[in-house]
Each structure stands twice: as C-alpha cells, then as structure tokens.
Amino acid sequence: MDVAIVTNAVVAAVSVITVGVSVFFALRQLRLSQSANHTLVAIELLTRDRMSDAFLDSQQFVLTELRARCSPELRVSDLPSDARKHVNRIALYYNGLGQMLAFDVVDPALLIGTGGFRAREAWSVLEPYILAERAARGESYLANFEHLAVLATETPWSVAVRKLGLRRFDSYPADLGLATGAGNAAGKAPAADPASERDVSSAGSV
C-alpha cells in the first residue's frame, strides 16, 4: 500500500476526530452557559419578585382572604378586579416557575426546595377558580402552575431535605418533638414528620 495514501488517511482521520472533539466541547460549554443563565433567572424570580411588598400582600390575600370573599365557583376572570389582581400575581408567578421545570431549564431541587411548600398552599386555594376558568378557556390555562404543585406534592420538603443532604444539629428541645440529625450518617437530615415538614418548609419558603 502506498505510504502517502496511508499517511493522508491517518491525517484525515485525526482531523475528523479533532473537529468532533472540538464540537463536543463547544456544545458542552454552550449547555453549561445556558444552564448558568437559567439558574440566574430562577434565583432572580425566587428572590426579587417573591420578596416584594406587592407579592407578599397578594400571597396573604390569596391564602387567608380569597375564599371568604369570593365564591370558589367563580372563574378567575370573573373575580372582582382587586381579587383578580392578587390571584393573577400569585398564579402567574408559580406558573412561570412551573414552566422552567417543564422545560428542564433549572434544577428541580432549587425550585421545589424553596418554593414548593407555598406553591402547594396556593394551588390548594386557587384550584377551584382555575378549574372553572379552564372549563371556559381550555386545559392549558395555568398548566405549568399545576405541574409545579404536583411535583411539590410528590417531593415534599422532608424528602428534598434528604436528597440535598442538608445538615442538622444533633439535638433540639425535646418538647418540640422535632426530628434531629442524631444517629444519621454524616449528619444528614432524617425524614421529618408532617408537623416538622411544615415548620422547616415555612422557614425556607416565603
């Protein structure tokens, strides 16, 4: 076999491999960059909007006043303007978080661990109003909000704590009846009972 032909074939193969490796790492870098950008967006949503006075006022209204003031048979669009403003602010916020989960643009643990508890609470109040609206507008209405609420229900905070390996102190006041880190490998959090789940989740969710 002609040495020149073999040499050219080897050079061509090396070139193809080099191009392939370069493309692989370029795409990998692009994905990492996109992931970092999406995480920044998620953090921005979780902090800036949720900590605003307007959001906190709307959350308080939805969780404590909406049911008393507005019949659950009403559609969202039929609510009084002030109530509708509060409902839309909360529902669209969690719908945006659910959309990020649906498109896998952010680690679910980031959203479930920080906003899952409140998302479940908000959905439990808003569900009849949302379903009434869907009956008129279609099932896609706030579907991402429901997606977030379902995932948060399937992965409660006590489970998220274990998956994240969050550390706990070895003892709490005995009369509180809270689970502690005692007897767990590397001090990882044990399964929490429903009461402590609410307390811990409330501390991590505004």
Side-chain angles (χ1 to χ4, degrees):
M1 182 179 293
D2 192 327
V3 175
I5 295 177
V6 174
T7 302
N8 290 336
V10 171
V11 171
V14 170
S15 298
V16 170
I17 293 173
T18 301
V19 170
V21 170
S22 299
V23 170
F24 170 79
F25 281 106
L27 291 175
R28 184 171 181 273
Q29 185 62 36
L30 178 60
R31 286 194 296 270
L32 290 174
S33 177
Q34 290 175 333
S35 177
N37 289 336
H38 293 148
T39 300
L40 289 175
V41 170
I43 292 173
E44 178 75 5
L45 283 171
L46 287 168
T47 54
R48 183 198 64 191
D49 292 343
R50 201 177 64 177
M51 295 300 179
S52 70
D53 290 338
F55 184 89
L56 294 175
D57 288 344
S58 293
Q59 180 175 261
Q60 180 73 10
F61 177 86
V62 167
L63 296 181
T64 66
E65 301 179 39
L66 177 63
R67 283 174 173 167
R69 295 192 182 189
C70 304
S71 168
E73 296 180 359
L74 291 173
R75 296 164 47 187
V76 173
S77 57
D78 290 335
L79 293 171
S81 59
D82 187 56
R84 187 169 65 249
K85 175 190 67 179
H86 291 304
V87 168
N88 282 332
R89 179 175 290 128
I90 298 301
L92 293 176
Y93 171 80
Y94 287 117
N95 196 64
L97 298 188
Q99 190 170 30
M100 287 193 289
L101 282 177
F103 285 93
D104 294 323
V105 298
V106 68
D107 186 343
L110 175 64
L111 299 185
I112 299 299
T114 56
F117 175 75
R118 288 302 186 199
R120 282 165 25 216
E121 278 200 325
W123 177 264
S124 69
V125 173
L126 294 175
E127 182 180 45
Y129 306 95
I130 293 172
L131 295 184
E133 190 71 33
R134 283 184 184 177
R137 294 177 53 176
E139 294 189 4
S140 63
Y141 177 71
L142 295 178
N144 293 301
F145 179 13
E146 183 175 11
H147 177 63
L148 172 62
V150 169
L151 290 181
T153 301
E154 294 176 348
T155 310
W157 180 242
S158 58
V159 175
V161 165
R162 293 199 300 276
K163 287 185 175 181
L164 292 173
L166 298 185
R167 303 290 295 273
R168 287 187 175 181
F169 289 108
D170 291 337
S171 64
Y172 299 145
D175 59 330
L176 295 179
L178 297 175
T180 69
N184 291 276
K188 290 186 178 180
D193 58 31
S196 63
E197 178 200 343
R198 180 182 179 87
D199 293 338
V200 175
S201 182
S202 296
S205 301
V206 176

